Amino acid sequence: MFDEKLLSELEIVAHRGAETASVSLTTLLNSHVSVTVNGVDWINVEDIPEIMEGAEEYCVALISRVLGDIEGNSILLFSAEDSVGLVDNLGSKAETVDEFGALEFSMLQETANITISSFMNSVTLHLGHGCIPNAPSYKYDMA
């Protein structure tokens, strides 16, 4: 179905997208942020819980529908601990995800919006196809 050449191209796009997202988040947070790509592979959505260190672990998911020449969904996942750390860096006093209110949800959604948009801009430039991400929705649940 998918060949190694396409997977190689997607890895290039992923690295460029991560670089673009790093710059955008560094600007937002006024502190160095590094977004890394540990690899690119084809996976089933059903395998995500195990990749996120187990189906019994809670995580924050920010999901954005992508429209245009390349349609699909983009998902940004954070562990509960990482999401608390992120909003803390943005000025929140919440110590757990359960304490999140509208401000923290907005912080996470805007971070996802910047990250996903930066990434999709890189995809657009590399592949020459337009991609338009929608505003992300927030979900906190077991992986």
Side-chain angles (χ1 to χ4, degrees), residues 12-119:
I12 291 167
V13 170
H15 284 284
R16 288 182 180 167
E19 290 170 14
T20 305
S22 294
V23 170
S24 297
L25 291 172
T26 294
T27 302
L28 170 72
L29 297 171
N30 198 27
S31 179
H32 179 73
V33 174
S34 180
V35 177
T36 59
V37 175
N38 295 326
V40 174
D41 203 352
W42 305 112
I43 65 166
N44 292 316
V45 173
E46 296 82 22
D47 296 334
I48 291 174
E50 291 308 314
I51 293 169
M52 289 298 293
E53 299 179 8
E56 301 303 315
E57 296 296 319
Y58 278 89
C59 70
V60 171
L62 296 135
I63 305 153
S64 176
R65 179 79 179 134
V66 178
L67 303 174
D69 296 336
I70 302 172
E71 292 191 357
N73 295 299
S74 184
I75 303 171
L76 191 60
L77 297 169
F78 294 101
S79 68
E81 181 181 345
D82 287 344
S83 64
V84 171
L86 176 60
V87 298
D88 178 64
N89 283 328
L90 292 170
S92 171
K93 302 296 183 212
E95 295 182 8
T96 67
V97 176
D98 293 328
E99 296 176 13
F100 284 6
L103 178 63
E104 289 79 13
F105 297 143
S106 179
M107 289 172 167
L108 289 169
Q109 287 172 311
E110 189 56 31
T111 300
N113 191 32
I114 290 168
T115 305
I116 293 168
S117 293
S118 296
F119 186 84

Side-chain angles (χ1 to χ4, degrees), residues 124-142:
T124 296
L125 290 172
H126 185 75
L127 299 178
H129 294 284
C131 309
I132 304 166
N134 286 324
S137 60
Y138 170 94
K139 180 78 174 158
Y140 177 62
D141 205 340
M142 288 185 170

